[in-house]
Amino acid sequence: MNGKNLLNSMTEINPEYITEAEFPEVRMQQKKHKTMIRVISAVAAAAVMGVTAGAVSEVFNHRETVESFLSGDSREKLEEQELVSNYTTENEHFRMTMETILNDGFQLYMIATLEPLDEDAQNFLETYGVFGVDSEFHDTDTGELLERHGSAGFHTENGRNLMEFKFGFENLQSQSAEMTFSLRERDYPGQSYLMEGLTVPVDFISNLEVLEFQNEDGESVWLSPFEMYSHTQDCMTTQINRIYLVKNNGFSTEINDDFELSGLSTTGGASALHGEIAGEPYSYTTFDKIINIADYKAIEFKDMNSGEVRTYSLKSE
Amino acid sequence: MDDNKILELLSQKEEQALREIENKYGVKLRRLALHFLGNEADAEECVNDVYFKAWNAVRKPESLSAWLMQICRYTAFGMIDRRTAQKRNAVLVELTAEMEQCIPDSSVQAEESELSGMLNAFLGTLPKEKRIMFVRRYWYGDSIAEIAEFFHCREGKIRTGLFRTRKKLEKFLKERGVSYERKEFAELHDGN
């Protein structure tokens, strides 16, 4: 028996399953009126799925989770830009909702809500509150392990755990992967089963615009809606530099004043995050809110010791 | 025209039945045939064969739509079996390779009729959305892009969903002792 036999055997499945999976006739027509067809198709898809049309929507399932990590009007921006995922995965213990998956080609940034479904999971959240979760990424087609990362379940609020993931990737040869989660036995003895089977599909295709800014030496800094990054190790270190984003109208904002930076203190005393990816140095600074990158025309780094200002201007195409 | 009415006309050997079937299901049948056969001439031949078989069928089904589609799929696969390896449609090669992943290594063979029963049982265990994705891919032969368009989601989500469902099917079949006759990939497409 081989794959061909199995494919042949599919012919005799229950006719109800064949009918259930029929696509509505509207999809057979030419797409002359794309918007209308999209609306009709969305309604039809909702009808097939047995959900109320309009529930095929673009608002976060848990707006409060997104708002706990991203300030200002970030949540609204993400909804307007259709960067809502709401992908749900569950086992008998937890339901995880991946609220959003942002990919600027440098890092993945994800926000999730973890809800307990049974007493074991509830007890775990009450006991640990903040905990470390390991993630693995397996190639969708081959199952090959691509990456392994650690991250934290950030805090537990109203019985749910709110999670934030940020990952840079070394080699993105694959287009898509399955993300799975695990609890380390040594840290949470006897609890590792709780997150088994939770999986989230992740595309490695960028879904965000990024702008490149360059200085007169040809060095670049990239600005995305949730971070800025460069391929030098000390660029983002606020012990060395004050960093200003210069708007198109000429007004500039010091990042430390307006944005809270991931990994940095508000006094700028800590180092920005840096390291190596695929043998190349990098440093990055993530923001606590989503910005409109089109508002900015330059980035300035002012050396705190020498006072020298290096300006990175928007690179023209 | 209502399906029951069409069936009634078919049982009375009224030619109008075939015209009604062509009007109502012709596009879907050609689309299904084209997925597997890869060219319009063969798809047209297949659909004509479907009408011939429907006309001559002794027992009429409860669901006209599913019945016609099943005849179409059978007919298309029969045409494929008669082809040489060089004329195999790339879609079928891809689908066969994906289904290979569902077959575990164990020691008991299964007949295709027995497999159909297991597939029905397996499909019954799936959530509706996953079942539809699976049927659209492996029964209708849809591309990943077509399925993603219908569900208004990324192709990666469809690929992941199908991958997981294939893994579940593998486990399901293994638990029921279904085995895999390992062959080189090239042999599978020589009709052996």
mmCIF file of all heavy atoms in Angstrom, chain A residues 225-254:
data_model
loop_
_atom_site.group_PDB
_atom_site.id
_atom_site.type_symbol
_atom_site.label_atom_id
_atom_site.label_comp_id
_atom_site.label_asym_id
_atom_site.label_seq_id
_atom_site.Cartn_x
_atom_site.Cartn_y
_atom_site.Cartn_z
ATOM 1 N N PRO A 225 8.101 49.249 12.595
ATOM 2 C CA PRO A 225 7.084 49.755 13.519
ATOM 3 C C PRO A 225 7.314 49.367 14.977
ATOM 4 O O PRO A 225 6.781 50.029 15.867
ATOM 5 C CB PRO A 225 5.794 49.124 12.987
ATOM 6 C CG PRO A 225 6.045 48.961 11.533
ATOM 7 C CD PRO A 225 7.494 48.569 11.440
ATOM 8 N N PHE A 226 8.123 48.330 15.253
ATOM 9 C CA PHE A 226 8.278 47.966 16.656
ATOM 10 C C PHE A 226 9.731 47.991 17.142
ATOM 11 O O PHE A 226 10.015 47.736 18.315
ATOM 12 C CB PHE A 226 7.655 46.593 16.964
ATOM 13 C CG PHE A 226 8.359 45.401 16.380
ATOM 14 C CD1 PHE A 226 9.406 44.765 17.046
ATOM 15 C CD2 PHE A 226 7.949 44.878 15.158
ATOM 16 C CE1 PHE A 226 10.039 43.658 16.511
ATOM 17 C CE2 PHE A 226 8.573 43.769 14.608
ATOM 18 C CZ PHE A 226 9.624 43.161 15.295
ATOM 19 N N GLU A 227 10.675 48.346 16.251
ATOM 20 C CA GLU A 227 12.066 48.348 16.704
ATOM 21 C C GLU A 227 12.941 49.107 15.712
ATOM 22 O O GLU A 227 12.523 49.465 14.611
ATOM 23 C CB GLU A 227 12.587 46.920 16.831
ATOM 24 C CG GLU A 227 12.696 46.170 15.507
ATOM 25 C CD GLU A 227 13.297 44.786 15.658
ATOM 26 O OE1 GLU A 227 13.871 44.479 16.729
ATOM 27 O OE2 GLU A 227 13.223 44.002 14.702
ATOM 28 N N MET A 228 14.187 49.324 16.106
ATOM 29 C CA MET A 228 15.207 49.768 15.173
ATOM 30 C C MET A 228 16.433 48.895 15.404
ATOM 31 O O MET A 228 16.691 48.456 16.519
ATOM 32 C CB MET A 228 15.547 51.248 15.330
ATOM 33 C CG MET A 228 15.860 51.707 16.709
ATOM 34 S SD MET A 228 15.965 53.518 16.808
ATOM 35 C CE MET A 228 17.555 53.802 16.062
ATOM 36 N N TYR A 229 17.162 48.633 14.345
ATOM 37 C CA TYR A 229 18.287 47.724 14.474
ATOM 38 C C TYR A 229 19.400 48.103 13.502
ATOM 39 O O TYR A 229 19.188 48.812 12.523
ATOM 40 C CB TYR A 229 17.855 46.276 14.254
ATOM 41 C CG TYR A 229 17.161 45.983 12.943
ATOM 42 C CD1 TYR A 229 17.879 45.618 11.811
ATOM 43 C CD2 TYR A 229 15.769 46.042 12.856
ATOM 44 C CE1 TYR A 229 17.238 45.336 10.613
ATOM 45 C CE2 TYR A 229 15.117 45.755 11.670
ATOM 46 C CZ TYR A 229 15.850 45.402 10.557
ATOM 47 O OH TYR A 229 15.214 45.119 9.375
ATOM 48 N N SER A 230 20.600 47.644 13.839
ATOM 49 C CA SER A 230 21.743 47.912 12.967
ATOM 50 C C SER A 230 22.681 46.726 13.031
ATOM 51 O O SER A 230 22.506 45.818 13.852
ATOM 52 C CB SER A 230 22.475 49.174 13.430
ATOM 53 O OG SER A 230 23.284 48.874 14.553
ATOM 54 N N HIS A 231 23.645 46.759 12.145
ATOM 55 C CA HIS A 231 24.622 45.671 12.127
ATOM 56 C C HIS A 231 25.931 46.089 12.787
ATOM 57 O O HIS A 231 26.998 45.603 12.430
ATOM 58 C CB HIS A 231 24.862 45.201 10.692
ATOM 59 C CG HIS A 231 23.695 44.430 10.168
ATOM 60 N ND1 HIS A 231 23.218 43.289 10.789
ATOM 61 C CD2 HIS A 231 22.890 44.639 9.099
ATOM 62 C CE1 HIS A 231 22.174 42.844 10.110
ATOM 63 N NE2 HIS A 231 21.949 43.633 9.092
ATOM 64 N N THR A 232 25.857 47.008 13.755
ATOM 65 C CA THR A 232 27.015 47.288 14.591
ATOM 66 C C THR A 232 26.609 46.994 16.024
ATOM 67 O O THR A 232 25.437 47.085 16.376
ATOM 68 C CB THR A 232 27.454 48.754 14.501
ATOM 69 O OG1 THR A 232 26.364 49.576 14.934
ATOM 70 C CG2 THR A 232 27.818 49.123 13.079
ATOM 71 N N GLN A 233 27.563 46.648 16.837
ATOM 72 C CA GLN A 233 27.191 46.186 18.177
ATOM 73 C C GLN A 233 26.887 47.318 19.141
ATOM 74 O O GLN A 233 26.138 47.147 20.076
ATOM 75 C CB GLN A 233 28.319 45.321 18.748
ATOM 76 C CG GLN A 233 28.323 43.939 18.132
ATOM 77 C CD GLN A 233 28.816 42.903 19.117
ATOM 78 O OE1 GLN A 233 29.518 43.223 20.054
ATOM 79 N NE2 GLN A 233 28.461 41.661 18.894
ATOM 80 N N ASP A 234 27.481 48.491 18.943
ATOM 81 C CA ASP A 234 27.305 49.509 19.970
ATOM 82 C C ASP A 234 26.353 50.615 19.566
ATOM 83 O O ASP A 234 26.163 51.575 20.296
ATOM 84 C CB ASP A 234 28.661 50.109 20.334
ATOM 85 C CG ASP A 234 29.343 50.755 19.128
ATOM 86 O OD1 ASP A 234 28.756 50.724 18.030
ATOM 87 O OD2 ASP A 234 30.457 51.267 19.289
ATOM 88 N N CYS A 235 25.766 50.474 18.397
ATOM 89 C CA CYS A 235 24.962 51.565 17.854
ATOM 90 C C CYS A 235 23.840 51.983 18.792
ATOM 91 O O CYS A 235 23.590 53.161 18.981
ATOM 92 C CB CYS A 235 24.403 51.115 16.506
ATOM 93 S SG CYS A 235 23.560 52.400 15.615
ATOM 94 N N MET A 236 23.185 50.977 19.382
ATOM 95 C CA MET A 236 21.988 51.285 20.156
ATOM 96 C C MET A 236 22.274 51.470 21.633
ATOM 97 O O MET A 236 21.362 51.624 22.421
ATOM 98 C CB MET A 236 20.963 50.140 19.991
ATOM 99 C CG MET A 236 20.602 49.857 18.557
ATOM 100 S SD MET A 236 19.736 51.226 17.817
ATOM 101 C CE MET A 236 19.777 50.769 16.107
ATOM 102 N N THR A 237 23.526 51.448 22.018
ATOM 103 C CA THR A 237 23.847 51.476 23.442
ATOM 104 C C THR A 237 23.668 52.881 23.970
ATOM 105 O O THR A 237 24.391 53.806 23.572
ATOM 106 C CB THR A 237 25.286 50.994 23.684
ATOM 107 O OG1 THR A 237 25.447 49.730 23.071
ATOM 108 C CG2 THR A 237 25.580 50.893 25.156
ATOM 109 N N THR A 238 22.744 53.072 24.887
ATOM 110 C CA THR A 238 22.463 54.435 25.363
ATOM 111 C C THR A 238 23.449 54.881 26.437
ATOM 112 O O THR A 238 23.354 55.999 26.923
ATOM 113 C CB THR A 238 21.033 54.552 25.899
ATOM 114 O OG1 THR A 238 20.848 53.573 26.908
ATOM 115 C CG2 THR A 238 20.024 54.340 24.791
ATOM 116 N N GLN A 239 24.380 54.019 26.805
ATOM 117 C CA GLN A 239 25.496 54.510 27.619
ATOM 118 C C GLN A 239 26.413 55.351 26.755
ATOM 119 O O GLN A 239 27.195 56.155 27.258
ATOM 120 C CB GLN A 239 26.303 53.337 28.189
ATOM 121 C CG GLN A 239 25.580 52.619 29.290
ATOM 122 C CD GLN A 239 26.319 51.357 29.703
ATOM 123 O OE1 GLN A 239 26.659 50.531 28.870
ATOM 124 N NE2 GLN A 239 26.556 51.203 30.981
ATOM 125 N N ILE A 240 26.340 55.124 25.464
ATOM 126 C CA ILE A 240 27.212 55.829 24.534
ATOM 127 C C ILE A 240 26.456 56.937 23.807
ATOM 128 O O ILE A 240 26.964 58.041 23.645
ATOM 129 C CB ILE A 240 27.781 54.850 23.486
ATOM 130 C CG1 ILE A 240 28.595 53.758 24.185
ATOM 131 C CG2 ILE A 240 28.590 55.576 22.437
ATOM 132 C CD1 ILE A 240 29.066 52.657 23.273
ATOM 133 N N ASN A 241 25.243 56.620 23.377
ATOM 134 C CA ASN A 241 24.511 57.541 22.491
ATOM 135 C C ASN A 241 23.168 57.959 23.065
ATOM 136 O O ASN A 241 22.499 57.174 23.738
ATOM 137 C CB ASN A 241 24.219 56.839 21.156
ATOM 138 C CG ASN A 241 25.474 56.552 20.376
ATOM 139 O OD1 ASN A 241 26.292 57.431 20.137
ATOM 140 N ND2 ASN A 241 25.635 55.298 19.977
ATOM 141 N N ARG A 242 22.795 59.206 22.802
ATOM 142 C CA ARG A 242 21.388 59.573 22.897
ATOM 143 C C ARG A 242 20.838 59.424 21.481
ATOM 144 O O ARG A 242 21.469 59.849 20.512
ATOM 145 C CB ARG A 242 21.225 61.021 23.357
ATOM 146 C CG ARG A 242 21.600 61.214 24.815
ATOM 147 C CD ARG A 242 20.968 62.482 25.366
ATOM 148 N NE ARG A 242 21.380 62.689 26.744
ATOM 149 C CZ ARG A 242 20.833 62.070 27.788
ATOM 150 N NH1 ARG A 242 19.849 61.221 27.611
ATOM 151 N NH2 ARG A 242 21.262 62.313 29.001
ATOM 152 N N ILE A 243 19.683 58.825 21.405
ATOM 153 C CA ILE A 243 19.131 58.498 20.081
ATOM 154 C C ILE A 243 17.874 59.328 19.861
ATOM 155 O O ILE A 243 16.985 59.363 20.712
ATOM 156 C CB ILE A 243 18.791 57.006 19.983
ATOM 157 C CG1 ILE A 243 20.040 56.163 20.327
ATOM 158 C CG2 ILE A 243 18.284 56.649 18.591
ATOM 159 C CD1 ILE A 243 19.744 54.678 20.464
ATOM 160 N N TYR A 244 17.828 60.005 18.711
ATOM 161 C CA TYR A 244 16.702 60.864 18.393
ATOM 162 C C TYR A 244 16.084 60.404 17.077
ATOM 163 O O TYR A 244 16.788 60.187 16.099
ATOM 164 C CB TYR A 244 17.141 62.328 18.225
ATOM 165 C CG TYR A 244 17.770 62.910 19.452
ATOM 166 C CD1 TYR A 244 19.140 62.788 19.669
ATOM 167 C CD2 TYR A 244 17.008 63.613 20.396
ATOM 168 C CE1 TYR A 244 19.739 63.323 20.802
ATOM 169 C CE2 TYR A 244 17.599 64.153 21.521
ATOM 170 C CZ TYR A 244 18.960 64.005 21.716
ATOM 171 O OH TYR A 244 19.544 64.533 22.831
ATOM 172 N N LEU A 245 14.767 60.310 17.093
ATOM 173 C CA LEU A 245 14.054 60.078 15.832
ATOM 174 C C LEU A 245 13.567 61.444 15.348
ATOM 175 O O LEU A 245 12.868 62.160 16.084
ATOM 176 C CB LEU A 245 12.859 59.140 16.038
ATOM 177 C CG LEU A 245 13.183 57.701 16.473
ATOM 178 C CD1 LEU A 245 11.909 56.866 16.547
ATOM 179 C CD2 LEU A 245 14.156 57.047 15.513
ATOM 180 N N VAL A 246 13.941 61.812 14.129
ATOM 181 C CA VAL A 246 13.604 63.130 13.598
ATOM 182 C C VAL A 246 12.420 62.991 12.656
ATOM 183 O O VAL A 246 12.490 62.272 11.650
ATOM 184 C CB VAL A 246 14.803 63.745 12.843
ATOM 185 C CG1 VAL A 246 14.456 65.147 12.362
ATOM 186 C CG2 VAL A 246 16.044 63.763 13.723
ATOM 187 N N LYS A 247 11.357 63.726 12.997
ATOM 188 C CA LYS A 247 10.141 63.624 12.184
ATOM 189 C C LYS A 247 10.253 64.463 10.919
ATOM 190 O O LYS A 247 11.145 65.315 10.782
ATOM 191 C CB LYS A 247 8.930 64.097 13.007
ATOM 192 C CG LYS A 247 8.522 63.105 14.080
ATOM 193 C CD LYS A 247 7.130 63.413 14.604
ATOM 194 C CE LYS A 247 6.618 62.219 15.386
ATOM 195 N NZ LYS A 247 5.251 62.393 15.844
ATOM 196 N N ASN A 248 9.328 64.186 10.015
ATOM 197 C CA ASN A 248 9.322 64.915 8.742
ATOM 198 C C ASN A 248 9.139 66.411 8.938
ATOM 199 O O ASN A 248 9.601 67.217 8.124
ATOM 200 C CB ASN A 248 8.218 64.375 7.831
ATOM 201 C CG ASN A 248 8.482 62.939 7.418
ATOM 202 O OD1 ASN A 248 9.635 62.529 7.261
ATOM 203 N ND2 ASN A 248 7.429 62.151 7.277
ATOM 204 N N ASN A 249 8.461 66.797 10.036
ATOM 205 C CA ASN A 249 8.236 68.229 10.277
ATOM 206 C C ASN A 249 9.421 68.887 10.994
ATOM 207 O O ASN A 249 9.377 70.047 11.338
ATOM 208 C CB ASN A 249 6.949 68.432 11.082
ATOM 209 C CG ASN A 249 6.997 67.742 12.433
ATOM 210 O OD1 ASN A 249 8.046 67.281 12.879
ATOM 211 N ND2 ASN A 249 5.851 67.648 13.076
ATOM 212 N N GLY A 250 10.482 68.103 11.205
ATOM 213 C CA GLY A 250 11.695 68.653 11.796
ATOM 214 C C GLY A 250 11.810 68.435 13.289
ATOM 215 O O GLY A 250 12.912 68.544 13.853
ATOM 216 N N PHE A 251 10.714 68.167 13.968
ATOM 217 C CA PHE A 251 10.778 67.931 15.410
ATOM 218 C C PHE A 251 11.393 66.565 15.696
ATOM 219 O O PHE A 251 11.135 65.599 14.986
ATOM 220 C CB PHE A 251 9.390 68.015 16.041
ATOM 221 C CG PHE A 251 8.850 69.398 16.097
ATOM 222 C CD1 PHE A 251 7.815 69.775 15.250
ATOM 223 C CD2 PHE A 251 9.364 70.334 16.978
ATOM 224 C CE1 PHE A 251 7.312 71.065 15.285
ATOM 225 C CE2 PHE A 251 8.870 71.630 17.009
ATOM 226 C CZ PHE A 251 7.841 72.003 16.161
ATOM 227 N N SER A 252 12.189 66.521 16.733
ATOM 228 C CA SER A 252 12.812 65.230 17.049
ATOM 229 C C SER A 252 12.423 64.788 18.449
ATOM 230 O O SER A 252 12.102 65.603 19.317
ATOM 231 C CB SER A 252 14.335 65.316 16.930
ATOM 232 O OG SER A 252 14.839 66.232 17.866
ATOM 233 N N THR A 253 12.424 63.488 18.633
ATOM 234 C CA THR A 253 12.063 62.891 19.922
ATOM 235 C C THR A 253 13.194 61.998 20.375
ATOM 236 O O THR A 253 13.660 61.160 19.605
ATOM 237 C CB THR A 253 10.808 62.007 19.752
ATOM 238 O OG1 THR A 253 9.783 62.781 19.164
ATOM 239 C CG2 THR A 253 10.347 61.443 21.066
ATOM 240 N N GLU A 254 13.634 62.230 21.604
ATOM 241 C CA GLU A 254 14.645 61.311 22.134
ATOM 242 C C GLU A 254 13.942 60.027 22.522
ATOM 243 O O GLU A 254 12.920 60.039 23.212
ATOM 244 C CB GLU A 254 15.354 61.893 23.342
ATOM 245 C CG GLU A 254 16.503 61.009 23.785
ATOM 246 C CD GLU A 254 17.240 61.528 25.002
ATOM 247 O OE1 GLU A 254 16.933 62.649 25.442
ATOM 248 O OE2 GLU A 254 18.102 60.801 25.509
#
